[in-house]
């Protein structure tokens, strides 16, 4: 009897008991057993070795737990069952409208700020304009070179270059592109210095307004030039001047195109873009002043007349455009 009790004590002693680790029941327990520097592949292998997936076998017995007075529910194995289907007590109620959102789950995040770089419409527009300009320049390359060479040549005839219809259309398209590029630069300036929120439903409307104002400016300037030059200098010089002005405006669009691309896709400082735009405007006005002098006032001894001519037909319309753009931006912005 004593021997049996001693044997029992030895069997129940902690040293004699063999501890077997319990099998993990959750992936979290498996991951805690691994070293801290275990790779994702090692973690995945450990979980697959511990847990063996089993085939799910659904019951084939009929459902008898449906609500009394209602039909038997649909089987979850029915492939024609819509994903949004949910059988409930109110599924046939006329006041139930599950298609109406009842609220928002979670917390709304900060919206991504608008950038021209992420704007597909403007990007496609600039890409399309670039392709058209390159194709047009390739076809009218010799005409453009002749225009540039003859610009500083004092011509006594009506015109030294005979433009074709394609070359005229190319220059007209360049004028339209110049208006669009100026509208984009004015939009960049507005959202940086005037305001970023406007009463308009889309930023495209503001760009369209600036584009229309630039088109109106160039059309009004050409009308004034045509009217004044026809009265004062005659038809021949007026035609020669309009051709030169068309070439200068096309060159203006070419000069500001890099500024638009750098501001749109390389985050060039708006101050640098503004300084570059002012330099382009001053350079273009100097070219305009020189060409008007060589065409109209080269043989007139009074230099004061060209100053009045240039201020009335160049400076005043441009100052009106700048003031109109500033007033439009301030009027359309939202003041908090």
């Amino acid at each position: 009897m004593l021997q049996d009790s001693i044997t029992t004590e030895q069997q129940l002693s902690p040293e004699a008991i063999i501890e077997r680790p319990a099998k993990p029941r959750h992936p979290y327990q498996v991951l805690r057993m691994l070293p801290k520097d275990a790779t994702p592949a090692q973690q995945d292998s450990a979980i697959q070795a511990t847990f063996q997936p089993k085939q799910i076998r659904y019951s084939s017995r009929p459902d008898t737990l449906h609500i009394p007075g209602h039909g038997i529910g649909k089987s979850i194995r029915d492939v024609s069952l819509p994903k949004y289907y949910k059988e409930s007590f109110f599924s046939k109620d006329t006041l139930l409208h599950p298609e109406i959102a009842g609220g928002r789950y979670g917390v709304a995040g900060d919206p991504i700020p608008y950038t021209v770089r992420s704007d597909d419409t403007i990007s496609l527009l600039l890409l399309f304009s670039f392709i058209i300009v390159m194709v047009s320049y390739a076809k009218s390359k010799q005409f453009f070179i002749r225009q540039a060479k003859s610009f500083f040549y004092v011509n006594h005839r009506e015109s030294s270059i005979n433009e074709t219809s394609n070359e005229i259309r190319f220059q007209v398209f360049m004028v339209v592109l110049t208006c669009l590029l100026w509208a984009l630069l004015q939009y960049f300036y507005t959202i940086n210095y005037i305001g970023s929120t406007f009463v308009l439903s889309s930023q495209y409307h503001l760009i369209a307004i600036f584009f229309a104002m630039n088109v109106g400016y160039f059309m009004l300037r050409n009308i004034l030039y045509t009217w004044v030059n026809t009265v004062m200098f005659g038809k021949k010089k007026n035609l020669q001047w309009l051709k030169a002005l068309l070439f200068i405006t096309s060159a203006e669009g070419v000069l500001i195109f890099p500024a638009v691309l750098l501001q749109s896709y390389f985050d060039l400082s708006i101050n640098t873009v503004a300084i570059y735009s002012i330099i382009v405007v001053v350079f273009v006005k100097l070219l305009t002043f020189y060409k008007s002098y060589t065409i109209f006032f080269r043989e007139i001894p009074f230099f004061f007349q060209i100053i009045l001519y240039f201020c009335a037909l160049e400076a005043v319309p441009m100052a009106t455009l700048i003031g109109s753009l500033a007033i439009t931006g301030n009027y359309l912005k939202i003041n908090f």
Side-chain angles (χ1 to χ4, degrees), residues 103-104 144 171 176 214 219 250 255 280 318:
R104 179 188 296 168
F144 187 82
Q171 289 187 315
V176 176
N214 282 275
M219 291 181 62
S250 303
L255 291 176
V280 170
M318 185 175 181

Side-chain angles (χ1 to χ4, degrees), residues 195-225:
S196 58
T197 54
F198 303 91
V199 297
L200 304 172
S201 59
S202 174
Q203 72 275 6
Y204 304 128
H205 296 167
L206 184 61
I207 297 175
I209 291 174
F210 288 161
F211 174 73
M213 295 177 68
N214 282 275
V215 172
Y217 160 73
F218 283 106
M219 291 181 62
L220 177 62
R221 188 184 66 168
N222 288 347
I223 292 174
L224 291 176
Y225 270 123

